[in-house]
Amino acid sequence: MKTAFCLATILASASAFAPASKPAFSTQIAAEDFLEAEPYYDQSTVPVNVWKNKAPFTGKIVSTKRIVGPQATGETCHIIIDHDGDFPYWEGQSWGVIPPGTREKDGKPHSVRLYSIASSRYGDDKTGKTGSLCVRRATYWCPELKAEDPAKKGICSNFLCDTQPGDEVTMTGPAGKVMLMPEEDPKTDLIMVATGTGIAPYRGFIRRLFAEDTPAAEAYKGQAWLFLGVANSDALLYDDEFQAAKKAFPENFRLDYALSREQTNVKGGKMYIQDKVEEYADEVFEKLENGAHIYFCGLKGMMPGIQDMLKGVAEKKDIDYDEWLKKLKKAKQWHVEVY
């Protein structure tokens, strides 16, 4: 049966995930069903831009925690924000954050920065009153100074990574419908491709399907396949959670990492995300042909390599890549959110 799930628990033990057989839920555990549409897969009521720039929402920080090891290529934090149930969202949406202060050049308030939400609609604590962000601190290394230049650091990412419990965060949204899961057919396969903090929406997907007592979890019979590309093992994000899901649901959840500084591709070069996906190209193409949805989230620089790889594979299969891609987009099987 599925058991209670929270970040602290899953980091300590894989037992927070249910066994793969998915028997009846325990009556001793409160179900995550109070934020569902009717029926649960109906997307006509997805909230969009409830809170706007001129009338934003004020959330409060619950916790800010570094979630990468000492050898990671940067600092990434998991930030939990309390919205007291007044800022509903769905998995795959983004929150806007307006950093405090004003711009030096004109004295106007800073503009909104969008961050993919890294939790399910029920939050890490399952109350439906919190949400999480996965944020990498943006810094700039000055070759002349041979040091970080604070004048060029990311305003919003540094604000968020420096927050303390109780701090207020000015927010807008939720934004977007591009990355929503198609839940009407529970047999739909999901192929999730991420670089770095692009993992955020997929963490929400995985929690909803494998770690919570939701109608979507009860119904899901497809396979969710996650590809994550980072520099090294210390830079992996939410690995303990994903390994636990893989152990509990080996038929329904697959996991593949591309570690560019630790692994090599078939040509002997660095293993980037497109190289790892290419290893399974035949299976990926077959799944897409059978109706799977594929998602891409992360730095926009990931897409040229991904698309070049897919185009090369298509040519080997005598498939017209442009027509193939057009078909996927028309069927709404192709989802991209890059920044």
Side-chain angles (χ1 to χ4, degrees):
M1 65 184 171
K2 293 199 171 186
T3 54
F5 180 93
C6 68
L7 183 64
T9 304
I10 193 61
L11 292 176
S13 169
S15 64
F17 280 88
S21 56
K22 288 191 178 181
F25 297 129
S26 168
T27 57
Q28 299 176 351
I29 299 171
E32 283 74 56
D33 61 4
F34 53 92
L35 295 177
E36 301 298 318
E38 183 59 46
Y40 73 91
Y41 50 78
D42 178 18
Q43 297 185 355
S44 64
T45 59
V46 175
V48 178
N49 296 325
V50 176
W51 299 93
K52 306 180 187 302
N53 292 23
K54 293 184 178 180
F57 178 82
T58 301
K60 286 193 175 182
I61 297 294
V62 175
S63 63
T64 299
K65 180 181 179 182
R66 178 187 171 103
I67 56 171
V68 291
Q71 301 305 313
T73 51
E75 180 181 11
T76 300
C77 295
H78 181 75
I79 302 163
I80 302 176
I81 302 173
D82 182 0
H83 60 77
D84 200 30
D86 295 326
F87 205 145
Y89 59 86
W90 282 31
E91 300 76 17
Q93 290 191 294
S94 299
W95 270 341
V97 176
I98 304 174
T102 57
R103 301 184 301 197
E104 289 187 9
K105 63 179 181 180
D106 56 17
K108 294 182 179 180
H110 291 295
S111 57
V112 173
R113 274 72 162 180
L114 290 178
Y115 294 91
S116 296
I117 301 170
S119 54
S120 80
R121 68 191 71 179
Y122 294 99
D124 285 5
D125 59 1
K126 292 183 160 185
T127 64
K129 296 183 178 182
T130 66
S132 304
L133 299 178
C134 179
V135 180
R136 175 169 172 164
R137 186 189 295 274
T139 58
Y140 174 76
W141 179 266
C142 178
E144 295 180 359
L145 296 175
K146 295 184 178 179
E148 289 184 358
D149 185 347
K152 296 182 180 179
K153 68 181 182 180
I155 298 295
C156 198
S157 66
N158 280 270
F159 159 67
L160 287 169
C161 289
D162 287 336
T163 52
Q164 301 292 322
D167 288 351
E168 294 187 342
V169 183
T170 303
M171 305 166 63
T172 65
K177 292 184 177 182
V178 172
M179 298 291 285
L180 297 179
M181 282 193 292
E183 296 183 339
E184 186 169 0
D185 181 357
K187 298 185 296 296
T188 302
D189 289 339
L190 308 176
I191 302 169
M192 304 166 284
V193 183
T195 57
T197 56
I199 195 66
Y202 309 140
R203 179 178 183 262
F205 291 3
I206 292 162
R207 290 175 70 89
R208 178 166 176 78
L209 295 180
F210 304 117
E212 296 178 344
D213 185 351
T214 62
E218 172 72 354
Y220 192 61
K221 300 297 186 294
Q223 184 181 80
W225 191 356
L226 174 62
F227 292 90
L228 171 61
V230 293
N232 56 35
S233 299
D234 264 16
L236 288 173
L237 302 167
Y238 309 111
D239 178 58
D240 287 348
E241 295 185 29
F242 300 150
Q243 295 295 343
K246 182 180 177 181
K247 181 177 181 180
F249 298 97
E251 300 300 318
N252 300 103
F253 180 63
R254 291 175 68 174
L255 177 64
D256 280 283
Y257 290 145
L259 308 178
S260 61
R261 299 191 181 184
E262 295 180 5
Q263 300 172 330
T264 55
N265 59 31
V266 293
K267 298 177 182 178
K270 291 184 177 181
M271 176 69 80
Y272 292 113
I273 190 70
Q274 63 266 26
D275 302 314
K276 180 56 67 173
V277 176
E278 187 174 14
E279 288 184 5
Y280 302 95
D282 289 342
E283 197 170 354
V284 167
F285 269 68
E286 182 180 357
K287 283 180 174 291
L288 290 170
E289 189 65 27
N290 291 330
H293 283 234
I294 190 164
Y295 296 79
F296 303 94
C297 189
L299 295 174
K300 61 183 178 182
M302 71 185 281
M303 291 309 296
I306 288 280
Q307 291 186 300
D308 287 346
M309 179 275 292
L310 291 174
K311 186 174 183 179
V313 173
E315 289 175 351
K316 292 178 182 177
K317 295 177 175 292
D318 292 325
I319 294 173
D320 184 314
Y321 176 73
D322 292 333
E323 289 299 318
W324 176 80
L325 183 57
K326 186 185 298 184
K327 179 182 175 183
L328 289 179
K329 290 180 177 180
K330 185 176 181 180
K332 298 182 179 180
Q333 294 172 247
W334 182 271
H335 308 259
V336 179
E337 187 169 85
V338 293
Y339 41 85

